[in-house]
Amino acid sequence: MIEIRWHGRGGQGVVTSSQLLTKAAIYAGKYAIHIPEFGPERRGAPVRAFTRIDDEDIEIRYNVRNPDIVVVIDPGLVEMKEFITEGLKEDGVIIINRPVDMPISLDGYKVYSVDAYRISIDELGRPIYNTSMIGALLGATKIIPLEYLIKALEERFSGSVLEKNIRAIRRGYEEVRLV
Amino acid sequence: MSVTDTERMKRVGLNGDEAVAYAAKHANVDVVAAYPITPQTIMVEKISEFVYNGELDAEFIAVESEHSALSAAVGASLAGARVFTATASQGLALMYEILYIASAMRTPIVMALGNRAFSAPINIHCSHDDAYAVRDTGWLQFFAENVQEAYDLVLMAFKISESPEVLTPSIVNLDGFILTHCIEPLYIWNERYIQEFLPDRKPVEAIDYRNPKTYGPLALMDYYMLIKRQQYEVVRRARATIDRVFDEYSRWSGRRYRAIKTYMMDDAEYAFVVLGSTAGTMRSMVDKWRGMGRKVGLVSLTLYRPFPEDDLRRILSGVEAIGVMDRSHTYGGPGAQLYQEIASTLYSLDEHPRLLNIIYGLGGKDFGPEDAEAAYKYLMRPDVREVWLGVEG
Amino acid sequence: MSSWPRDWRELPMAGIINIAGSSLDYKTGTWRARKPVLYPDKCIKCQICWLFCPDMAINRLEDDSVEINYEYCKGCGICAEECPTKAIEMVEEVG
Ligand code: SF4
Ligand code: SF4
C-alpha cells in the first residue's frame, strides 16, 4: 500500500489533487481512497488531504500517519520542515514546489522538486499548482500511468481549461527533478 | 476502462454522498424532498443535478427546512410515490416529530443519514449521536461500513421498506466525512438491470381521491395502544424481510450482506462490537492481534433497528470480555447507547461476559491503530468499565 | 365504532379509517347545553352564520334562507354572536 499526504493552503486545490489521484488509481484498476481533512476551511489556512493506493481492497478508514510520499503544494510550507516530515517513512519521498536549482535542506529524504509556479503561470496564467504537482508526483514515482490521470481530469474539465491542465500535468511529469 | 467493468455493473470512484445520490437515481425515486446540510450536502446537490439534467424523472422539492422536507416526504409517500430524503445531525433533530409520524403512518421513505455530531460545540464531523437519537422512532436503521455498502444499502432499504408486510421507513447511516466525503472504488449498476431487483413501488392504501379514507386519525384510550402494538410487531417482524432481501441482493450482486458481520468470532475470547466505518480498521487490528496469538474477534452491525438481539446473544455468549464501541455517549446514563443495548441483550445469559464501554471518535476524532491498541489494553483490565478513548484521566 | 376490531392483528394498518364520512355517525347534537333559535323574520340571508358554524350545522337552503341542524349543532353560540341582525338567539336547552 502506498500512502500519500498532501500539504497546501486553502484554495490551492489540495483536496482536488488527492481526489484526482484517487480516481486515476481507481481507473488504473487499483483500490484507492481519498481522505480529505476538513478543519477550519479558510482560504490560506494550511490544509491536508490523504490518499491510499493498493492492489488489494483497503479496509482501514483513518488518516494517514506514516506516509510514503508527501506532496507540498504550497511553496511557503517547505520551510515548515517538522510539519511536512511528520511521520514520514525513513526512505520517504517529498515532492516540493520550488525552482529545481534552489537549494533545500530536507536531509535524509528523497526530495523531488518542480517549479509548479513557473508551469502554472505559463500554462494556466494563474498560480494554481495542483495539476502540475500531481504530474510531478507521477513523474517522480510512476505509481500510476499518466493516461488514467488525464481520464480523471476529463471528468472535471473540458475545452481549453482541460487542454491547459493536461499541458501542466505533462510538464510537471517531465520537469520534476531529484534534488 | 477497468477490466472489471461488466455490462451489468461499472466500477467507479465516488464519495459516499455521490454514491448515495446514484443509489437514489438507480432506485428511480419519484420524489426527493431534502434540505442541504454538511456532510450530506453533496447528495442533495447531485440529485438536484440529476433532476435538472433530466437524468432522473423525479420531483425535487426544495424545502425551507428539514421539518418541511420530511413532512413533504410523508405526504408524497402516502400518495404512493417512492420517496428519498437525506440529512444529518441538526437537520435530523429538526425532523424529529415527523419521524414518528412517518413511521406510524407506515410511509416507506428511505433516508440517508450522514452521521454527524450534535452541537454544541459546533462540529461537522462524525458521531453517531444522530442515529442513536432516533433509534426509538420506529424507523429501520442500517449502518454502512464503506461507500459500496452505502450505495447497496439504499437500494436494499427501498425494497425492505416497501414490502407490504413492512411498510416502514428506513435510515441508511454513513459516517460523516469518513464515508460521505471519501472517494473509494465501488460497483454501481447499469440502470437497465435495476428492475430485476427493485421494481417500481406498488403502494398499499395509497391516497386516492376516488376512494377517500382518513389517514392519521385521532386514537385515544380506545385504539392508540392497539395501533402502537401493531407497529411494534411490524418492526420486530421486519427482520425476516430484511434477511430475505439481504440474501436476494447478495445473490444478485455477488456481494454478501448479513444483519451482522462477524470476524474471527468462532474461538474468540475477547470481542469488540462496532458500528460504521471503524469496522474495517478494527478488522485489520484483529488480524494483527491474531498474528500475535491473541484470541480476538469482531462483531459489526449492518442492521441496527430492529436490533438483532437473538443473534448477538448467540455470537457473544462464551466470550470472556467484550469492548462495546460507541461513537456517542449519554449523559448520566448506565453506559452509552450500544453498550446499554448489548448489556440488556446479554442479561438473560447465565454467564455474563465482562463488558467495557469504549467511547471513541466523537466529532470526527480520528480512530487509528494506536487507539485500537489502547482499547485492547483497557479490555484486558477487569477494573475498567468505561473509557473515553484519547481523553482519559 | 364498536364494530371495529379489538385485536391489533385485525386492525386496519396505521388505524386508517376506510369509511369516508364516518363523522356523520357522531350525533354531536346531544352535547348542547344551550341551543340557537332562529327568527326567520329578522334574517336577511347574509349567510354569515352558515360560514362561521364550526360544525357545518347550519343548512343553506335553495332560496338562501338558513336552518339549524340540531342533530349536529353543539350549541357553541358562534352563529348568534356573528349574526348582524340578531336573528339567532341562544336559549337554554330543555329536555
Ligand atoms: S350554535 Fe354553534 S354549532 Fe350550533 S349552529 Fe350555531 S354556530 Fe353551529
Ligand atoms: S347570520 Fe343572521 S341574518 Fe345572516 S343568514 Fe344567518 S341568521 Fe340570517
Side-chain angles (χ1 to χ4, degrees):
Chain A
M1 182 160 59
I2 300 168
E3 296 185 299
I4 301 161
R5 188 171 68 215
W6 305 79
H7 287 280
R9 294 185 185 277
Q12 288 177 339
V14 174
V15 170
T16 310
S17 303
S18 174
Q19 286 176 340
L20 284 170
L21 181 68
T22 303
K23 290 225 175 179
I26 291 169
Y27 293 138
K30 297 194 179 286
Y31 201 102
I33 299 188
H34 149 72
I35 306 165
E37 187 180 59
F38 284 98
E41 288 171 67
R42 296 183 311 261
R43 187 163 281 267
V47 173
R48 304 192 303 175
F50 311 97
T51 316
R52 281 197 179 95
I53 303 173
D54 203 354
D55 292 323
E56 307 292 319
D57 287 7
I58 300 171
E59 283 197 317
I60 54 174
R61 294 285 182 284
Y62 49 85
N63 292 350
V64 167
R65 271 112 164 109
N66 301 109
D68 302 277
I69 303 167
V70 167
V71 186
V72 188
I73 293 180
D74 181 66
L77 289 173
V78 173
E79 309 299 336
M80 298 166 72
K81 191 177 164 182
E82 276 176 25
F83 183 53
I84 63 170
T85 60
E86 188 200 338
L88 180 60
K89 290 200 180 119
E90 269 185 30
D91 52 349
V93 170
I94 305 176
I95 296 162
I96 57 172
N97 174 3
R98 199 172 169 91
V100 289
D101 49 1
M102 244 170 105
I104 180 84
S105 81
L106 285 164
D107 302 339
Y109 301 105
K110 220 171 165 183
V111 181
Y112 289 87
S113 185
V114 67
D115 192 352
Y117 176 79
R118 183 76 269 147
I119 297 174
S120 59
I121 294 294
D122 287 354
E123 304 300 340
L124 313 171
R126 287 196 295 160
I128 302 171
Y129 311 127
N130 53 6
T131 37
S132 19
M133 289 305 288
I134 318 173
L137 166 66
L138 295 193
T141 62
K142 308 282 190 297
I143 47 175
I144 306 287
L146 205 54
E147 58 188 284
Y148 295 109
L149 178 60
I150 291 169
K151 180 176 155 70
L153 202 69
E154 282 166 353
E155 265 180 16
R156 231 182 155 98
F157 302 114
S158 60
S160 69
V161 180
L162 175 66
E163 293 307 316
K164 288 172 183 176
N165 276 290
I166 290 177
R167 280 205 300 276
I169 283 179
R170 288 196 193 285
R171 279 192 59 186
Y173 188 89
E174 281 151 19
E175 294 175 22
V176 67
R177 291 289 175 274
L178 185 65
V179 294
Chain B
M1 188 62 97
S2 161
V3 286
T4 44
D5 282 0
T6 65
E7 159 66 12
R8 300 169 69 82
M9 268 187 269
K10 193 164 86 171
R11 187 171 183 268
V12 293
L14 296 173
N15 67 36
D17 276 358
E18 291 169 333
V20 163
Y22 271 101
K25 176 174 184 263
H26 291 171
N28 195 20
V29 295
D30 303 303
V31 173
V32 178
Y35 189 82
I37 179 171
T38 306
Q40 152 269 37
T41 318
I42 309 163
M43 295 179 200
V44 179
E45 287 172 354
K46 195 85 193 160
I47 292 172
S48 59
E49 208 177 288
F50 288 146
V51 173
Y52 178 78
N53 292 343
E55 288 176 73
L56 172 62
D57 180 20
E59 194 67 43
F60 185 94
I61 308 177
V63 286
E64 84 292 352
S65 78
E66 286 84 355
H67 189 279
S68 306
L70 193 57
S71 301
V74 168
S77 186
L78 284 175
R82 176 169 286 166
V83 186
F84 178 77
T85 188
T87 191
S89 174
Q90 312 301 123
L92 185 70
L94 192 48
M95 285 182 176
Y96 195 68
E97 62 166 320
I98 313 299
L99 290 169
Y100 282 91
I101 292 169
S103 60
M105 292 183 78
R106 311 287 299 280
T107 56
I109 298 162
V110 171
M111 177 196 300
L113 188 60
N115 301 113
R116 163 179 158 180
F118 279 133
S119 300
I122 295 177
N123 182 294
I124 53 173
H125 290 276
C126 182
S127 277
H128 291 154
D129 299 353
D130 44 12
Y132 286 156
V134 302
R135 65 180 180 170
D136 298 331
T137 57
W139 286 56
L140 312 180
Q141 281 202 52
F142 306 93
F143 272 87
E145 183 187 318
N146 53 41
V147 170
Q148 178 78 69
E149 288 190 3
Y151 170 85
D152 289 337
L153 282 169
V154 168
L155 291 177
M156 285 184 269
F158 275 113
K159 181 137 182 168
I160 294 163
S161 282
E162 291 173 7
S163 301
E165 71 280 13
V166 176
L167 285 174
T168 293
S170 287
I171 289 173
V172 174
N173 290 287
L174 62 161
D175 285 356
F177 284 99
I178 306 167
L179 297 181
T180 59
H181 283 61
C182 282
I183 295 176
E184 298 175 17
L186 74 152
Y187 291 92
I188 61 171
W189 291 95
N190 178 338
E191 267 169 272
R192 244 196 315 245
Y193 296 96
I194 293 283
Q195 286 274 338
E196 292 176 1
F197 172 74
L198 187 65
D200 292 342
R201 180 181 169 197
K202 287 186 198 64
V204 180
E205 300 262 23
I207 287 178
D208 174 5
Y209 67 91
R210 285 156 306 203
N211 180 21
K213 297 170 187 172
T214 302
Y215 295 79
L218 177 77
L220 301 178
M221 300 69 142
D222 48 358
Y223 280 104
Y224 184 82
M225 200 159 161
L226 271 182
I227 293 171
K228 287 291 119 180
R229 174 77 196 278
Q230 183 189 60
Q231 194 189 347
Y232 167 85
E233 294 294 342
V234 162
V235 174
R236 204 167 62 84
R237 288 156 197 235
R239 177 59 196 278
T241 307
I242 292 165
D243 285 345
R244 181 168 49 71
V245 172
F246 275 10
D247 281 344
E248 191 190 335
Y249 193 85
S250 301
R251 277 196 305 278
W252 188 57
S253 67
R255 292 185 290 276
R256 185 88 180 93
Y257 282 90
R258 282 151 295 164
I260 301 174
K261 283 186 275 189
T262 55
Y263 189 64
M264 298 282 177
M265 282 304 296
D266 287 349
D267 63 340
E269 287 165 11
Y270 298 94
F272 290 93
V273 184
V274 72
L275 294 167
S277 66
T278 310
T281 301
M282 286 305 288
R283 220 176 284 120
S284 77
M285 293 307 293
V286 167
D287 285 342
K288 187 181 166 206
W289 292 324
R290 285 277 171 174
M292 300 162 78
R294 298 173 179 172
K295 292 197 166 168
V296 191
L298 182 76
V299 176
S300 56
L301 308 188
T302 300
L303 177 64
Y304 177 59
R305 278 291 181 279
F307 196 68
E309 50 174 316
D310 295 338
D311 315 61
L312 284 168
R313 213 173 287 120
R314 182 172 42 74
I315 294 162
L316 294 172
S317 71
V319 173
E320 187 172 324
I322 301 165
V324 183
M325 302 181 63
D326 275 289
R327 200 164 198 146
S328 185
H329 68 289
T330 177
Y331 302 95
Q337 293 87 338
L338 185 61
Y339 174 89
Q340 289 180 20
E341 297 186 305
I342 295 286
S344 20
T345 294
L346 300 180
Y347 188 73
S348 62
L349 292 176
D350 292 335
E351 302 251 334
H352 292 136
R354 182 161 56 76
L355 291 185
L356 167 69
N357 195 185
I358 300 157
I359 314 286
Y360 78 102
L362 304 193
K365 189 170 168 42
D366 200 23
F367 179 90
E370 62 283 7
D371 306 294
E373 290 290 2
Y376 179 83
K377 284 206 186 80
Y378 285 113
L379 187 59
M380 295 304 116
R381 281 176 50 182
D383 60 315
V384 184
R385 196 189 66 84
E386 179 184 273
V387 58
W388 280 60
L389 215 59
V391 290
E392 301 92 332
Chain C
M1 294 295 276
S2 56
S3 64
W4 270 47
R6 305 300 311 186
D7 185 319
W8 59 267
R9 290 172 198 83
E10 287 153 28
L11 207 63
M13 180 184 79
I16 291 172
I17 300 170
N18 290 303
I19 315 131
S22 59
S23 60
L24 286 173
D25 296 346
Y26 283 102
K27 301 283 163 87
T28 49
T30 57
W31 298 13
R32 273 193 313 271
R34 299 202 307 151
K35 83 178 197 186
V37 176
L38 175 73
Y39 304 111
D41 52 327
K42 289 196 195 169
C43 174
I44 56 167
K45 302 182 178 179
C46 71
Q47 312 302 325
I48 285 177
C49 56
W50 171 78
L51 196 65
F52 273 77
C53 172
D55 282 285
M56 296 196 284
I58 304 238
N59 295 339
R60 180 178 179 173
L61 306 179
E62 282 284 293
D63 65 347
D64 274 347
S65 63
V66 293
E67 66 175 26
I68 295 160
N69 184 340
Y70 291 107
E71 267 192 75
Y72 296 101
C73 165
K74 286 178 193 162
C76 68
I78 290 174
C79 53
E81 185 66 28
E82 295 297 332
C83 174
T85 63
K86 301 270 172 273
I88 301 175
E89 186 192 8
M90 297 304 290
V91 303
E92 200 175 334
E93 180 79 39
V94 277

